Amino acid sequence: MAGESPSQAVPETVETALADRLVEGRVCLEAGAGVGNATAGLLAAGAERVYAVTDDPDHAATVRDRCDDATDRLVVVEADLRQTPLRPDSVDLVTAHGLCNLLDPAALAAVAAELSRVATAGCHLVVDDYEPLPESAAVRDLFAVENAASELATGRSALTFYPASLLRRLFTGHGWTFDRETTLLDPVPWTASHLSAHAGVVTDATEDLPPELGDPLERRAERLAEAIGEEFAGTMYSVAMTRREGDETP
Amino acid sequence: METRPLGATGQESTVATFGAIALNWLEQEGANQMVEHVLDHGVNHFDVAPTYGDAELKLGPKLRQHREDIFLGCKTQERDYEGAAHKLERSLDRLGVDTIDLYQIHGLEYESELDEITGDDGALAAIREAKDDGKVDHVGLTSHGNPGLIRDAIDRIDDLETLMFPLNPVVAGKDDDEHDYEAVLERAEEEDIGTLGIKAFAKGSWPPTSDLPEKDRPYANWYEPVDTPEEIRDRFDFAASQGLSTVVTPGDPKLVSMVLDAAGRYDGMDEATQRSLVEQSRHDDSPVPEQLHH
Ligand SMILES: C[S@@+](CC[C@H](N)C(=O)[O-])C[C@H]1O[C@@H](n2cnc3c(N)ncnc32)[C@H](O)[C@@H]1O
């Protein structure tokens, strides 16, 4: 399989979220670039330029690496999304694929304002995220440990699952009009690989904690990841909105 | 069980096709019971091949008893005229029937084979002759090879009526040309060619024989299968909702009942759930780096 590893494939979640948006010839901002799934999707769909913003240097390197065949169209920006170096009115399409759940309410408010600042009139916005998980989902226990460890280590939660309706209203307040909502995944497959990545977040967070506090959390996260193995729970949605012409929200 | 047109053959096949290789692992008595069980579920399309051990012989008695209720597919791995003509006679003999409803070129893998079967002295000439003689009704092809090659075959074999190829969430999650069986499905639909899905229940390759000797494999499948009723149902629903005419049951008799049950209950699968399975297998695949998200 000549250098074609499956990780390079654009996930169907991303393809579905972008399918009804005009990407070709557009200047795009991928907010929270991660491993570059959405960045790869935007480039594959013919974006004129993609600003892939992340505050994580490893992610920045991963995205550069993954999309090295499109360096003329890709600008990886290492910056905080609450305050980016992008100019006002400079972006035609904003994507936030799996970003918002990593933002606590204060950060979410600031990021929404910043994304709105850089958007042109008529700009499209695609926000993909998870509905709050049902009570019965076992992965909630793992995410609770993740949040506990993060709160203790940084004073902020690691994960917040915002309902689509809430994000939609938040962006409406910034001058965006609702276009559509699509269900990307129903149910969401939390595979062994995802659970181990989440347990890894706990391990990282507990490094900054005294052992008597951190060790039990770390052990609990590992045990939960192992016991759950894999779970199908919750849904992932995609909300698309358009920035009204001539709207200047302060 | 739901039925669908098998391309332009005029046959309405059940959404599950019985892969008769499963009979090879059973004694004659068990094989007879299995065929009755499959027919009880309403399945009307059977698929067999001379390379499946004793499957043809074991299918024979019940096939002859229920010949009218079964649309019979068989295959040949021969590529030349002589070989194909000979193997067809042998299959008719072993099955104990006068006609095979669908005779398929089995396991096309290389462009050179496509040249050979389409040549004057090729296997297709023998199958067409058998068609004229009333021994075969329809012509098909099977391959788990390069999707590009299968599309070439569609272009080059004018009288091709069915195609059998792999389709499952693992394959669907891969973007590269080597796994683009969705493009095959699309072409087949355009040409009104019937489509049979294989490997719908494959989870992955078996571990290397050094770690797990072939005799210790828990299932007699080519690939390690999913094996819980829920997973089997998901995999069946996924395959059946891609637009295939029919989905072939897995090779191990232990799994057949669960698949028949899933097929009987098939009621479509919405797209978000299909994506969920694709996303699951994308992350199950070891080369994908660990990620928090989808
Ligand atoms: C897990 S990824 C989301 C998936 C990604 N969009 C993709 O398509 O592969 C989230 C990214 O957002 C980044 N991030 C989170 N909060 C941020 C912030 N305040 N500023 C900049 N980047 C942030 C993380 O470092 C990470 O790169």
Side-chain angles (χ1 to χ4, degrees):
Chain A
M1 260 198 270
E4 190 81 34
S5 85
S7 63
Q8 301 308 302
V10 177
E12 289 195 2
T13 46
V14 170
E15 280 180 354
T16 307
L18 297 180
D20 64 352
R21 301 294 105 181
L22 180 60
V23 179
E24 202 172 338
R26 301 266 130 166
V27 175
C28 306
L29 165 59
E30 198 330 57
V35 297
N37 283 322
T39 304
L42 290 166
L43 290 168
E48 178 183 299
R49 180 167 299 261
V50 178
Y51 295 103
V53 180
T54 174
D55 57 4
D56 182 322
D58 288 342
H59 288 172
T62 303
V63 174
R64 272 194 203 99
D65 220 33
R66 174 171 179 173
C67 303
D68 63 355
D69 54 343
T71 43
D72 51 332
R73 295 186 291 139
L74 173 64
V75 185
V76 178
V77 183
E78 284 185 51
D80 191 319
L81 282 163
R82 290 173 290 194
Q83 203 172 6
T84 70
L86 297 177
R87 280 177 294 108
D89 295 319
S90 57
V91 175
D92 308 316
L93 172 62
V94 177
T95 55
H97 180 77
L99 166 72
C100 294
N101 64 86
L102 294 175
L103 304 173
D104 67 8
L108 176 67
V111 169
E114 176 66 1
L115 297 180
S116 306
R117 180 186 71 83
V118 301
T120 55
C123 178
H124 283 242
L125 169 70
V126 177
V127 181
D128 305 337
D129 231 285
Y130 307 93
E131 284 292 336
L133 284 159
E135 295 279 352
S136 57
V139 284
R140 277 175 69 129
D141 295 341
L142 175 59
F143 298 159
V145 177
E146 195 172 333
N147 278 338
S150 175
E151 287 277 4
L152 290 168
T154 68
R156 285 184 307 276
S157 58
L159 290 171
T160 315
F161 291 161
Y162 298 101
S165 58
L166 186 143
L167 294 183
R168 175 179 160 179
R169 292 204 167 95
L170 170 66
F171 281 98
T172 304
H174 283 284
W176 300 81
T177 312
F178 174 77
D179 290 336
R180 62 104 176 106
E181 181 181 337
T182 308
T183 303
L184 295 180
L185 296 172
D186 180 11
V188 177
W190 300 102
T191 66
S193 152
H194 290 103
L195 299 190
S196 133
H198 282 277
V201 173
V202 177
T203 302
D204 290 349
T206 53
E207 265 166 26
D208 300 330
L209 294 178
E212 67 274 19
L213 209 52
D215 292 355
L217 289 171
E218 188 177 351
R219 277 200 304 277
R220 178 142 179 77
E222 279 166 8
R223 272 206 310 274
L224 279 168
E226 179 139 348
I228 298 167
E230 167 175 74
E231 184 177 38
F232 287 81
T235 62
M236 185 180 197
Y237 57 80
S238 172
V239 168
M241 303 184 76
T242 306
R243 184 128 170 102
R244 279 197 297 274
E245 311 277 340
D247 199 306
E248 291 294 330
T249 335
Chain B
M1 193 177 293
E2 183 181 322
T3 61
R4 297 173 176 179
L6 184 66
T9 59
Q11 154 73 1
E12 287 275 333
S13 286
T14 40
V15 68
T17 285
F18 176 53
I21 188 174
L23 302 177
N24 180 46
W25 321 110
L26 303 173
E27 299 300 327
Q28 187 61 54
E29 186 58 25
N32 291 348
Q33 283 168 10
M34 170 70 83
V35 172
E36 290 291 351
H37 180 61
V38 170
L39 289 169
D40 281 348
H41 274 83
V43 172
N44 69 5
H45 187 148
F46 283 40
D47 187 74
V48 73
T51 46
Y52 297 163
D54 281 344
E56 288 181 329
L57 291 172
K58 286 180 178 151
L59 174 60
K62 284 290 167 185
L63 172 66
R64 294 192 291 276
Q65 184 185 335
H66 299 283
R67 187 67 191 91
E68 294 304 301
D69 304 325
I70 295 172
F71 180 88
L72 176 66
C74 190
K75 320 194 187 79
T76 183
Q77 280 187 340
E78 300 296 330
R79 302 298 183 239
D80 66 337
Y81 177 94
E82 278 302 324
H86 171 73
K87 280 288 166 61
L88 170 62
E89 289 302 333
R90 184 168 172 268
S91 285
L92 287 169
D93 190 48
R94 280 161 60 99
L95 290 158
V97 295
D98 305 325
T99 57
I100 287 169
D101 300 301
L102 172 64
Y103 202 56
Q104 302 150 108
I105 299 283
H106 192 176
L108 192 78
E109 228 177 311
Y110 304 105
E111 202 75 42
S112 61
E113 293 178 288
L114 187 52
D115 294 338
E116 193 176 355
I117 60 168
T118 52
D120 290 344
D121 195 29
L124 283 168
I127 302 176
R128 287 175 189 133
E129 207 173 283
K131 243 179 111 170
D132 293 340
D133 294 345
K135 293 177 184 167
V136 164
D137 261 351
H138 306 284
V139 184
L141 180 107
T142 84
S143 177
H144 43 235
N146 193 310
L149 174 65
I150 307 179
R151 293 206 309 275
D152 284 350
I154 297 178
D155 290 337
R156 291 178 56 182
I157 307 171
D158 286 339
D159 52 354
L160 188 68
E161 295 173 270
T162 72
L163 277 172
M164 186 186 286
F165 54 87
L167 203 57
N168 61 41
V170 184
V171 165
K174 294 184 178 166
D175 261 5
D176 51 337
D177 292 343
E178 273 163 90
H179 295 92
D180 198 1
Y181 292 104
E182 286 134 313
V184 173
L185 185 60
E186 225 168 89
R187 261 321 298 284
E189 272 167 8
E190 281 166 24
E191 302 289 329
D192 207 6
I193 290 172
T195 48
L196 297 92
I198 46 173
K199 294 189 191 159
F201 308 93
K203 182 155 73 175
S205 311
W206 288 110
T209 43
S210 51
D211 296 345
L212 179 73
E214 207 172 319
K215 65 173 173 43
D216 292 343
R217 291 178 183 169
Y219 296 103
N221 291 41
W222 306 117
Y223 289 83
E224 183 172 7
V226 297
D227 59 0
T228 66
E230 296 76 31
E231 287 173 306
I232 288 204
R233 196 157 174 212
D234 280 347
R235 288 303 199 90
F236 185 88
D237 291 357
F238 181 89
S241 58
Q242 302 308 297
L244 293 164
S245 314
T246 177
V247 179
V248 181
T249 61
D252 191 295
K254 293 192 286 298
L255 301 174
V256 170
S257 257
M258 282 191 270
V259 174
L260 294 176
D261 183 60
R265 295 204 265 162
Y266 176 72
D267 184 26
M269 179 180 250
D270 63 48
E271 290 185 1
T273 311
Q274 294 174 35
R275 284 192 287 271
S276 170
L277 294 180
V278 171
E279 192 63 12
Q280 177 203 21
S281 41
R282 203 170 67 84
H283 287 272
D284 278 350
D285 244 356
S286 46
V288 181
E290 269 184 11
Q291 292 171 35
L292 299 171
H293 295 94
H294 297 84

